[in-house]
Structure formats: C-alpha cells, structure tokens
Amino acid sequence: YITINIYPFLSAGLRSVPLETIMSPTMPFLTQQISAFKVALGKILPSGRILPIAIGETGWPSCGANRFRPYNYAVLNNSMTYMSSVAQWIEGNASDGVVLAGNLFTTFDEELKGTRPIERYYGLLDVDGSPKTEATCRTNATEPSVAWLEADYPECET
C-alpha cells in the first residue's frame, strides 16, 4: 500500500474550500483528494495497478487561532467535527474500499514541538491527557510573523 497525508485545515483557510465539503460525514473533499491521488498513481505506476491507500495522517488543529485565515479555522468545534467525520468515513461505506486505514493525528497536544505554535495543537486531548475545552485551548495570536509564510501566504500574516 501507499500512504497519503491530508490536512484540509489549510485548504479551508488558504484556498477557501467550504467547511461543509470538508466536514460533512460523506467527506466530499477527502473523497476528491483520494480520487486525485488515484489518478496520479495511475499515471506513474507502470502496471496501471492502483495500490491500496492508507491515510498516513489527517487532522485538524483545535487551538491557536485568534488571527486571520487560516488560523481562524483552528477551533475546537471544527477539530472535533472533522475528526469524528473522517473517522466514520474511513471506517464506513463512504470509503470505497481502496482506503485500507487511516491515522488520526494526534492523540495529545505537543506543547514542546519545535514548529509553529499552531502545529502543537492537533491533539484530541490536552498535553496532560485531559479532554479539551474552549477554556483550555491556547492561542498563537501573539506569535510573531514568519518570513517564509509572509512571502508565500501574505494574507495569513497580516
């Protein structure tokens, strides 16, 4: 099998993909991503045989979002809705059988992760293992801008 990582949070924030296509229980956005992946695989595999697909990682940040897009989409409700919908889609009949499995990213927040602060809040649970609430979510609203983001996505860092 082959894996694909899909993080639609950025598609909602940067590409204005409607949340309902990303979070619907039928997962139209994810279905389109998998279909496009299968087409690409068909072009590069010499036998024309499509390998089974596993979703290596998919998730949605739940905190860190008091700024302009895409960060304003990183809220607890969006995270929980997406994670529930994608788990049901992977396990259910909406997945066409080509998707073998999927990994929801991730169980716990990682406060010490050395990347942009929003990357630290993909967990379904807080770093201490307690359930997340709006009150326990932290924000990256005071995080300074990062040069490569300003260059590639100027609308995100204003």
Side-chain angles (χ1 to χ4, degrees):
Y1 66 92
I2 188 166
T3 62
I4 181 173
N5 295 347
I6 301 174
Y7 286 96
F9 158 72
L10 291 173
S11 296
L14 296 174
R15 304 286 182 239
S16 299
V17 174
L19 286 178
E20 53 275 3
T21 66
I22 294 172
M23 298 196 186
S24 163
T26 58
M27 303 301 294
F29 179 79
L30 196 64
T31 301
Q32 292 169 355
Q33 294 293 300
I34 296 293
S35 294
F37 188 55
K38 289 191 293 190
V39 168
L41 284 176
K43 291 179 179 182
I44 62 170
L45 295 174
S47 68
R49 181 175 157 256
I50 301 298
L51 294 171
I53 298 169
I55 298 173
E57 290 181 358
T58 191
W60 195 283
S62 58
C63 305
N66 288 337
R67 297 186 348 177
F68 190 63
R69 9 177 238 131
Y71 305 104
N72 60 322
Y73 288 95
V75 294
L76 186 58
N77 184 55
N78 287 350
S79 175
M80 294 302 173
T81 300
Y82 176 75
M83 296 299 261
S84 175
S85 293
V86 76
Q88 291 174 19
W89 182 84
I90 290 168
E91 291 180 350
N93 292 331
S95 173
D96 63 8
V98 173
V99 176
L100 296 176
N103 291 314
L104 303 181
F105 183 81
T106 184
T107 304
F108 302 101
D109 280 347
E110 302 173 74
E111 285 185 344
L112 300 177
K113 194 169 186 178
T115 58
R116 292 184 57 78
I118 201 160
E119 293 284 332
R120 300 173 187 163
Y121 303 111
Y122 274 83
L124 296 170
L125 302 171
D126 277 326
V127 70
D128 65 1
S130 62
K132 285 188 172 180
T133 66
E134 292 292 340
T136 63
C137 280
R138 292 158 185 85
T139 180
N140 68 351
T142 59
E143 174 194 356
S145 296
V146 175
W148 71 267
L149 276 175
E150 288 178 344
D152 293 346
Y153 304 105
E155 70 275 14
C156 295
E157 294 295 322
T158 55

Coordinates of all heavy atoms in Angstrom, one line a residue, residues 49-115:
R49 N -1.8 -0.8 -12.2 CA -2.4 -1.3 -11.0 C -2.4 -0.2 -9.9 O -1.4 0.4 -9.6 CB -1.7 -2.5 -10.5 CG -2.3 -3.2 -9.3 CD -1.6 -4.5 -8.9 NE -1.8 -4.7 -7.5 CZ -0.9 -4.5 -6.6 NH1 0.3 -4.1 -6.8 NH2 -1.2 -4.8 -5.3
I50 N -3.6 0.0 -9.3 CA -3.7 1.0 -8.2 C -3.4 0.3 -6.9 O -4.0 -0.6 -6.5 CB -5.1 1.7 -8.2 CG1 -5.4 2.4 -9.5 CG2 -5.2 2.6 -7.0 CD1 -4.5 3.5 -9.9
L51 N -2.4 0.8 -6.2 CA -2.1 0.3 -4.9 C -3.2 0.7 -3.9 O -3.8 1.8 -4.0 CB -0.7 0.9 -4.4 CG 0.5 0.5 -5.2 CD1 1.7 1.4 -4.7 CD2 0.8 -0.9 -5.0
P52 N -3.4 -0.2 -2.9 CA -4.3 0.3 -1.8 C -3.7 1.5 -1.1 O -2.5 1.6 -1.1 CB -4.3 -1.0 -0.9 CG -3.9 -2.1 -1.7 CD -2.9 -1.5 -2.8
I53 N -4.6 2.3 -0.6 CA -4.2 3.6 0.0 C -4.5 3.5 1.5 O -5.5 3.1 1.9 CB -4.9 4.8 -0.6 CG1 -4.6 4.9 -2.1 CG2 -4.6 6.1 0.1 CD1 -5.4 5.8 -2.9
A54 N -3.5 4.0 2.3 CA -3.8 4.3 3.7 C -3.5 5.8 3.9 O -2.6 6.4 3.4 CB -2.8 3.5 4.6
I55 N -4.4 6.4 4.7 CA -4.2 7.8 5.1 C -3.2 7.8 6.2 O -3.5 7.3 7.3 CB -5.5 8.4 5.5 CG1 -6.5 8.4 4.3 CG2 -5.3 9.9 5.9 CD1 -7.9 8.9 4.6
G56 N -2.0 8.2 5.9 CA -0.9 8.2 6.9 C -1.2 9.1 8.0 O -1.0 8.8 9.2
E57 N -1.7 10.3 7.8 CA -2.0 11.3 8.8 C -3.1 12.2 8.2 O -3.1 12.6 7.1 CB -0.9 12.2 9.1 CG 0.3 11.6 9.9 CD 1.4 12.6 10.2 OE1 1.3 13.8 9.8 OE2 2.3 12.2 10.9
T58 N -4.1 12.5 9.1 CA -5.0 13.5 8.8 C -5.5 14.1 10.2 O -5.6 13.4 11.2 CB -6.2 13.1 8.0 OG1 -7.0 14.2 7.6 CG2 -7.1 12.1 8.7
G59 N -5.7 15.4 10.2 CA -6.1 16.0 11.5 C -6.5 17.5 11.3 O -6.5 18.0 10.1
W60 N -6.8 18.1 12.4 CA -7.3 19.5 12.3 C -6.8 20.1 13.6 O -7.2 19.6 14.7 CB -8.8 19.5 12.2 CG -9.3 20.9 11.8 CD1 -9.5 21.9 12.6 CD2 -9.8 21.2 10.6 NE1 -10.0 23.0 12.0 CE2 -10.3 22.6 10.7 CE3 -9.9 20.6 9.3 CZ2 -10.8 23.2 9.6 CZ3 -10.5 21.3 8.3 CH2 -10.9 22.6 8.4
P61 N -6.1 21.2 13.6 CA -5.7 21.9 14.9 C -7.0 22.4 15.6 O -7.9 22.9 15.0 CB -4.8 23.0 14.4 CG -5.2 23.3 13.0 CD -5.7 22.0 12.5
S62 N -6.9 22.3 16.9 CA -8.1 22.7 17.7 C -7.9 24.0 18.4 O -8.9 24.5 19.0 CB -8.4 21.6 18.8 OG -7.2 21.4 19.6
C63 N -6.7 24.5 18.5 CA -6.4 25.7 19.2 C -5.4 26.6 18.5 O -4.8 26.1 17.6 CB -5.9 25.4 20.6 SG -6.9 24.3 21.6
G64 N -5.3 27.8 18.9 CA -4.2 28.6 18.4 C -4.7 29.5 17.3 O -4.0 29.7 16.3
A65 N -5.9 30.1 17.4 CA -6.5 30.7 16.3 C -7.1 32.1 16.3 O -8.0 32.3 15.7 CB -7.6 29.7 15.9
N66 N -6.5 33.0 17.0 CA -7.1 34.3 17.1 C -6.6 35.2 16.0 O -6.7 36.4 16.2 CB -6.9 34.9 18.4 CG -7.7 34.2 19.5 OD1 -8.7 33.6 19.2 ND2 -7.3 34.3 20.7
R67 N -6.1 34.7 14.9 CA -5.6 35.5 13.8 C -6.4 35.3 12.5 O -7.3 34.5 12.5 CB -4.1 35.3 13.6 CG -3.3 35.7 14.8 CD -1.9 35.6 14.7 NE -1.3 35.0 13.6 CZ 0.0 35.0 13.4 NH1 0.8 35.5 14.2 NH2 0.5 34.3 12.4
F68 N -6.0 36.0 11.5 CA -6.6 35.9 10.2 C -6.4 34.5 9.6 O -5.6 33.7 10.2 CB -6.0 37.0 9.3 CG -6.6 37.2 8.0 CD1 -8.0 37.6 7.9 CD2 -6.0 36.9 6.8 CE1 -8.6 37.8 6.7 CE2 -6.6 37.1 5.6 CZ -7.9 37.5 5.5
R69 N -7.1 34.2 8.6 CA -7.0 32.8 8.0 C -5.6 32.5 7.7 O -4.8 33.4 7.4 CB -7.8 32.6 6.7 CG -8.4 33.8 6.1 CD -9.1 33.4 4.8 NE -8.5 34.2 3.8 CZ -8.0 33.8 2.6 NH1 -8.1 32.6 2.3 NH2 -7.5 34.6 1.8
P70 N -5.2 31.2 7.7 CA -6.1 30.1 8.0 C -6.3 29.8 9.5 O -7.0 28.9 9.9 CB -5.3 28.9 7.4 CG -3.9 29.3 7.6 CD -3.8 30.8 7.4
Y71 N -5.6 30.6 10.4 CA -5.6 30.3 11.8 C -7.0 30.4 12.4 O -7.3 29.7 13.4 CB -4.7 31.2 12.5 CG -3.3 31.1 11.9 CD1 -2.8 32.1 11.1 CD2 -2.5 30.0 12.1 CE1 -1.5 32.0 10.6 CE2 -1.2 29.9 11.6 CZ -0.8 30.9 10.8 OH 0.5 30.8 10.2
N72 N -7.9 31.2 11.9 CA -9.2 31.3 12.5 C -10.1 30.0 12.3 O -11.1 29.9 12.9 CB -10.0 32.5 11.9 CG -10.2 32.5 10.4 OD1 -9.3 32.0 9.7 ND2 -11.3 33.0 10.0
Y73 N -9.6 29.1 11.5 CA -10.3 27.8 11.3 C -9.9 26.8 12.4 O -10.5 25.7 12.5 CB -10.1 27.3 9.9 CG -10.9 28.0 8.9 CD1 -10.2 29.0 8.2 CD2 -12.2 27.7 8.6 CE1 -10.9 29.7 7.2 CE2 -12.9 28.5 7.7 CZ -12.2 29.4 6.9 OH -12.9 30.2 6.0
A74 N -8.8 27.1 13.1 CA -8.3 26.2 14.1 C -9.0 26.4 15.5 O -8.5 27.0 16.4 CB -6.8 26.4 14.3
V75 N -10.2 25.9 15.5 CA -11.0 26.0 16.7 C -11.5 24.6 17.1 O -11.6 23.7 16.3 CB -12.2 26.9 16.6 CG1 -11.7 28.4 16.4 CG2 -13.1 26.5 15.5
L76 N -11.8 24.4 18.4 CA -12.1 23.1 18.9 C -13.3 22.5 18.2 O -13.3 21.3 17.9 CB -12.4 23.2 20.4 CG -12.6 21.9 21.2 CD1 -11.4 21.0 21.1 CD2 -12.9 22.2 22.7
N77 N -14.3 23.2 17.9 CA -15.5 22.6 17.3 C -15.2 22.1 15.9 O -15.6 21.0 15.5 CB -16.7 23.7 17.2 CG -17.9 23.1 16.6 OD1 -18.4 22.1 17.1 ND2 -18.4 23.7 15.5
N78 N -14.4 22.8 15.1 CA -14.0 22.4 13.8 C -13.2 21.1 13.9 O -13.3 20.1 13.1 CB -13.2 23.4 13.0 CG -14.1 24.5 12.5 OD1 -15.3 24.5 12.6 ND2 -13.4 25.6 12.1
S79 N -12.2 21.1 14.9 CA -11.4 19.9 15.0 C -12.2 18.7 15.4 O -12.1 17.6 14.8 CB -10.4 20.2 16.2 OG -9.6 19.0 16.4
M80 N -13.1 18.8 16.3 CA -13.9 17.6 16.8 C -14.9 17.2 15.6 O -15.0 16.0 15.4 CB -14.7 18.0 18.0 CG -13.8 18.2 19.2 SD -12.8 16.8 19.6 CE -11.7 17.4 20.8
T81 N -15.4 18.1 14.9 CA -16.3 17.7 13.8 C -15.6 17.0 12.7 O -16.0 15.9 12.3 CB -17.0 19.0 13.2 OG1 -17.8 19.6 14.3 CG2 -17.9 18.6 12.1
Y82 N -14.4 17.5 12.3 CA -13.6 16.9 11.3 C -13.1 15.5 11.7 O -13.3 14.5 11.0 CB -12.4 17.8 10.9 CG -11.5 17.1 9.9 CD1 -11.9 17.0 8.6 CD2 -10.3 16.4 10.3 CE1 -11.2 16.3 7.6 CE2 -9.6 15.8 9.3 CZ -10.0 15.7 8.0 OH -9.3 15.0 7.1
M83 N -12.6 15.4 12.9 CA -12.1 14.1 13.4 C -13.2 13.1 13.5 O -12.9 11.9 13.1 CB -11.4 14.3 14.7 CG -10.1 15.2 14.6 SD -8.9 14.6 13.5 CE -7.8 13.9 14.7
S84 N -14.3 13.4 13.9 CA -15.5 12.5 14.0 C -15.9 12.1 12.6 O -16.1 10.9 12.3 CB -16.6 13.1 14.8 OG -17.7 12.3 14.7
S85 N -16.0 13.0 11.7 CA -16.5 12.7 10.4 C -15.5 11.8 9.6 O -15.8 10.9 8.9 CB -16.7 14.0 9.6 OG -17.8 14.7 10.1
V86 N -14.2 12.2 9.7 CA -13.2 11.4 9.0 C -13.0 10.0 9.5 O -12.9 9.1 8.8 CB -11.8 12.2 8.9 CG1 -11.1 12.1 10.2 CG2 -11.0 11.6 7.8
A87 N -13.2 9.9 10.9 CA -13.1 8.5 11.4 C -14.2 7.6 10.9 O -14.0 6.5 10.6 CB -13.1 8.6 13.0
Q88 N -15.4 8.2 10.9 CA -16.6 7.5 10.4 C -16.4 7.2 8.9 O -16.8 6.1 8.5 CB -17.9 8.3 10.7 CG -18.2 8.3 12.1 CD -19.4 9.2 12.4 OE1 -20.2 9.5 11.5 NE2 -19.5 9.7 13.6
W89 N -15.9 8.1 8.2 CA -15.7 7.9 6.7 C -14.7 6.8 6.5 O -15.0 5.9 5.6 CB -15.3 9.2 6.1 CG -15.1 9.1 4.6 CD1 -16.1 9.3 3.7 CD2 -13.9 8.9 3.9 NE1 -15.6 9.1 2.4 CE2 -14.2 8.9 2.5 CE3 -12.6 8.6 4.3 CZ2 -13.3 8.6 1.5 CZ3 -11.6 8.4 3.3 CH2 -12.0 8.4 1.9
I90 N -13.6 6.8 7.2 CA -12.6 5.7 7.0 C -13.2 4.4 7.3 O -13.0 3.4 6.6 CB -11.4 6.0 7.8 CG1 -10.6 7.3 7.2 CG2 -10.4 4.8 7.8 CD1 -9.5 7.8 8.1
E91 N -13.9 4.3 8.4 CA -14.5 3.0 8.8 C -15.7 2.6 8.0 O -16.0 1.4 8.0 CB -14.8 3.1 10.3 CG -13.6 3.2 11.2 CD -14.0 3.2 12.7 OE1 -15.2 3.4 13.0 OE2 -13.0 3.1 13.5
G92 N -16.4 3.5 7.5 CA -17.7 3.2 6.9 C -17.7 2.9 5.4 O -16.6 2.8 4.7
N93 N -18.9 2.8 4.8 CA -19.0 2.5 3.4 C -18.7 3.7 2.5 O -18.5 3.5 1.3 CB -20.5 2.1 3.2 CG -20.7 0.7 3.8 OD1 -19.8 -0.1 4.0 ND2 -22.0 0.5 4.2
A94 N -18.6 4.9 3.1 CA -18.2 6.1 2.2 C -16.8 5.9 1.7 O -16.5 6.4 0.6 CB -18.3 7.3 3.0
S95 N -16.0 5.2 2.4 CA -14.6 4.9 1.9 C -14.8 3.7 0.9 O -15.4 2.7 1.2 CB -13.7 4.5 3.0 OG -12.5 4.0 2.5
D96 N -14.4 3.9 -0.3 CA -14.7 2.9 -1.4 C -13.9 1.6 -1.3 O -13.9 0.9 -2.3 CB -14.5 3.6 -2.7 CG -13.1 4.0 -3.0 OD1 -12.2 3.6 -2.2 OD2 -12.9 4.7 -4.0
G97 N -13.3 1.3 -0.3 CA -12.5 0.0 -0.2 C -11.1 0.2 -0.6 O -10.3 -0.7 -0.3
V98 N -10.8 1.2 -1.3 CA -9.4 1.4 -1.7 C -8.6 2.0 -0.5 O -7.4 1.8 -0.4 CB -9.3 2.4 -2.9 CG1 -7.8 2.7 -3.2 CG2 -9.9 1.8 -4.1
V99 N -9.3 2.7 0.4 CA -8.6 3.2 1.6 C -8.6 2.1 2.7 O -9.6 1.7 3.2 CB -9.3 4.5 2.2 CG1 -8.6 4.9 3.5 CG2 -9.2 5.6 1.1
L100 N -7.4 1.6 3.0 CA -7.3 0.5 3.9 C -7.5 0.9 5.4 O -8.1 0.2 6.2 CB -5.9 -0.1 3.8 CG -5.5 -0.8 2.5 CD1 -4.1 -1.2 2.6 CD2 -6.4 -2.0 2.3
A101 N -6.9 2.1 5.7 CA -6.9 2.5 7.1 C -6.5 4.0 7.1 O -6.1 4.6 6.1 CB -5.9 1.8 7.9
G102 N -6.6 4.6 8.3 CA -6.2 6.0 8.4 C -5.8 6.3 9.8 O -6.3 5.7 10.7
N103 N -4.8 7.2 9.9 CA -4.3 7.6 11.2 C -4.8 9.0 11.5 O -4.5 9.9 10.8 CB -2.8 7.6 11.3 CG -2.3 6.2 11.2 OD1 -2.7 5.3 11.9 ND2 -1.2 6.0 10.4
L104 N -5.6 9.2 12.6 CA -6.0 10.5 13.0 C -4.8 11.1 13.8 O -4.3 10.5 14.7 CB -7.2 10.4 13.9 CG -8.4 9.7 13.3 CD1 -9.6 9.7 14.3 CD2 -8.8 10.4 12.0
F105 N -4.4 12.3 13.4 CA -3.3 13.0 14.0 C -3.8 14.0 14.9 O -4.4 15.0 14.5 CB -2.4 13.6 12.9 CG -1.2 14.2 13.4 CD1 -0.1 13.5 13.7 CD2 -1.1 15.6 13.6 CE1 1.1 14.0 14.2 CE2 0.0 16.2 14.1 CZ 1.1 15.4 14.4
T106 N -3.6 13.9 16.2 CA -2.9 13.0 17.0 C -3.6 12.9 18.3 O -4.6 13.7 18.6 CB -1.4 13.5 17.2 OG1 -0.7 12.6 18.0 CG2 -1.4 14.9 17.9
T107 N -3.2 12.1 19.2 CA -3.9 11.9 20.5 C -3.7 13.1 21.4 O -4.7 13.6 22.0 CB -3.4 10.6 21.2 OG1 -3.6 9.5 20.3 CG2 -4.2 10.3 22.4
F108 N -2.5 13.5 21.6 CA -2.2 14.5 22.6 C -1.6 15.8 21.9 O -0.8 15.6 21.0 CB -1.2 14.0 23.7 CG -1.6 12.8 24.4 CD1 -1.2 11.6 24.1 CD2 -2.5 12.9 25.4 CE1 -1.6 10.4 24.7 CE2 -3.0 11.8 26.1 CZ -2.5 10.6 25.8
D109 N -1.9 16.9 22.5 CA -1.1 18.1 22.1 C 0.3 18.0 22.4 O 0.7 17.2 23.3 CB -1.7 19.4 22.8 CG -3.0 19.9 22.2 OD1 -3.3 19.5 21.1 OD2 -3.6 20.7 22.8
E110 N 1.2 18.7 21.7 CA 2.6 18.6 21.9 C 3.2 20.0 22.1 O 3.7 20.6 21.2 CB 3.3 18.0 20.6 CG 2.8 16.6 20.3 CD 3.3 16.1 19.0 OE1 4.5 15.7 19.0 OE2 2.6 16.1 18.0
E111 N 3.1 20.4 23.3 CA 3.5 21.8 23.7 C 4.9 22.1 23.4 O 5.3 23.3 23.1 CB 3.2 22.1 25.1 CG 1.7 22.3 25.4 CD 1.5 22.7 26.8 OE1 2.4 22.6 27.7 OE2 0.4 23.2 27.1
L112 N 5.8 21.1 23.3 CA 7.2 21.4 23.1 C 7.6 21.1 21.7 O 8.8 21.2 21.3 CB 8.1 20.5 24.0 CG 7.8 20.8 25.5 CD1 8.6 19.8 26.4 CD2 8.1 22.2 25.9
K113 N 6.7 20.9 20.8 CA 7.0 20.6 19.4 C 7.7 21.9 18.8 O 7.3 23.0 19.0 CB 5.7 20.4 18.6 CG 6.0 19.8 17.2 CD 4.7 19.3 16.6 CE 5.0 18.6 15.3 NZ 3.7 18.1 14.8
G114 N 8.8 21.7 18.1 CA 9.6 22.8 17.7 C 9.2 23.4 16.4 O 10.1 23.9 15.7
T115 N 8.0 23.5 16.1 CA 7.5 24.1 14.8 C 6.6 25.3 15.2 O 6.5 25.7 16.4 CB 6.7 23.1 14.0 OG1 5.6 22.6 14.8 CG2 7.6 21.9 13.6

